[in-house]
Amino acid sequence: MDSSQLPLDLGHRPALGREDFLIAPCNEVAVAWIDRWPDWPGHALAFYGPSGCGKTHLAHVWQNESAAISIAAADLLKSDPDELLSLQKNCIVDDIASELLGSSELQRKLFHLYNYVREESGTILFTGQEAPSRWAISLPDLASRLSAVPSFEMGSPDDFLFEALLVKLFYDRQLTISKEVLRFLVLRLDRSFEAAREIVSNLDHASLASQREITIPFAKAILHKISTQE
């Protein structure tokens, strides 16, 4: 097989800066709270919404402004809060709800992290598909604290944002796309960030593998291929 037919996965890195975040009615409230930091109503805030709605991107924007540390479930289980936040008192806890379910140890660790950040006058930004008040928490003290966290929903993109999102995703991969192909995709894809990312990734790889331009027939064939794999 000719080497030109083998696309190299060079680890595409999406643009996650403030200038790359697209503001629309479905996320403008969350963006406004990022702009207000550190003037938040307490030491914790949460953004929630469907997968791919932009929560992680917006968390990265806040991370750049606050120097926050991203903390995963594995980090919490391995280290104490004072070790995790020895150099910085702001942190992001991203999409941890499913791992908290049934893990009393992880819930206890998150409870201590919450208290530590408050005592040190730091800030926690939670993200998830549901508000923290709706997470399945068995530890009463943690449930009480999470239920008091101000939480703001981020919705799926509307038509305007979805089209702009596709343009951005193609641009991130240095791909040129015609208005005709763009409109073709907008009319046929589910209105979700996940669907947008999937089609752009598939078109990028298929175009590179075949050395073909992304046209409407080409995009139609890739959409059909994706649908038959579901």
Side-chain angles (χ1 to χ4, degrees):
M1 180 180 291
D2 191 287
S3 61
S4 66
Q5 295 178 299
L6 296 173
L8 298 177
D9 188 352
L10 300 179
H12 164 69
R13 182 180 178 181
L16 293 174
R18 177 56 183 266
E19 67 278 7
D20 301 300
F21 191 84
L22 305 175
I23 302 174
C26 61
N27 60 39
E28 61 186 1
V29 172
V31 173
W33 279 106
I34 292 297
D35 290 339
R36 286 186 59 178
W37 184 84
D39 184 23
W40 284 1
H43 73 285
L45 204 73
F47 298 145
Y48 68 97
S51 176
C53 71
K55 303 183 299 292
T56 298
H57 187 159
L58 196 55
H60 275 279
V61 171
W62 181 69
Q63 185 174 36
N64 291 336
E65 297 179 5
S66 65
I69 296 171
S70 184
I71 297 178
D75 300 322
L76 278 174
L77 289 172
K78 184 172 59 177
S79 305
D80 291 330
D82 60 336
E83 297 174 307
L84 293 170
L85 299 175
S86 59
L87 300 176
Q88 175 55 259
K89 306 309 178 187
N90 301 321
C91 63
I92 298 167
V93 179
D94 188 17
D95 202 19
I96 198 176
S98 62
E99 293 169 280
L100 286 169
L101 182 63
S103 175
S104 57
E105 177 64 11
L106 184 56
Q107 292 184 29
R108 186 180 66 81
K109 289 278 192 172
L110 182 59
F111 174 68
H112 290 316
L113 175 71
Y114 187 99
N115 288 339
Y116 180 80
V117 171
R118 182 174 60 182
E119 291 165 3
E120 295 295 323
S121 300
T123 310
I124 302 179
L125 177 61
F126 292 103
T127 71
Q129 295 198 26
E130 293 187 325
S133 60
R134 297 176 60 89
W135 294 356
I137 303 296
S138 57
L139 184 63
D141 288 339
L142 177 60
S144 174
R145 282 159 175 73
L146 292 180
S147 67
V149 173
S151 302
F152 303 93
E153 185 174 11
M154 296 177 64
S156 297
D158 56 21
D159 287 357
F160 172 80
L161 179 59
F162 191 67
E163 184 168 334
L165 174 65
L166 286 171
V167 171
K168 175 192 178 301
L169 291 174
F170 281 117
Y171 179 82
D172 284 351
R173 294 173 177 267
Q174 300 182 347
L175 292 173
T176 301
I177 194 80
S178 71
K179 292 181 180 179
E180 291 76 18
V181 173
L182 183 64
R183 197 61 194 156
F184 174 84
L185 294 173
V186 168
L187 293 174
R188 288 162 178 81
L189 291 170
D190 291 338
R191 293 296 184 274
S192 75
F193 285 76
E194 206 64 49
R197 284 202 297 257
E198 181 183 25
I199 189 59
V200 172
S201 176
N202 276 275
L203 286 171
D204 183 18
H205 283 81
S207 175
L208 184 60
S210 63
Q211 296 294 299
R212 290 176 58 190
E213 182 183 357
I214 300 175
T215 61
I216 288 179
F218 187 83
K220 185 176 182 179
I222 298 303
L223 282 172
H224 177 72
K225 181 178 179 181
I226 292 173
S227 66
T228 57
Q229 293 173 345
E230 294 178 348

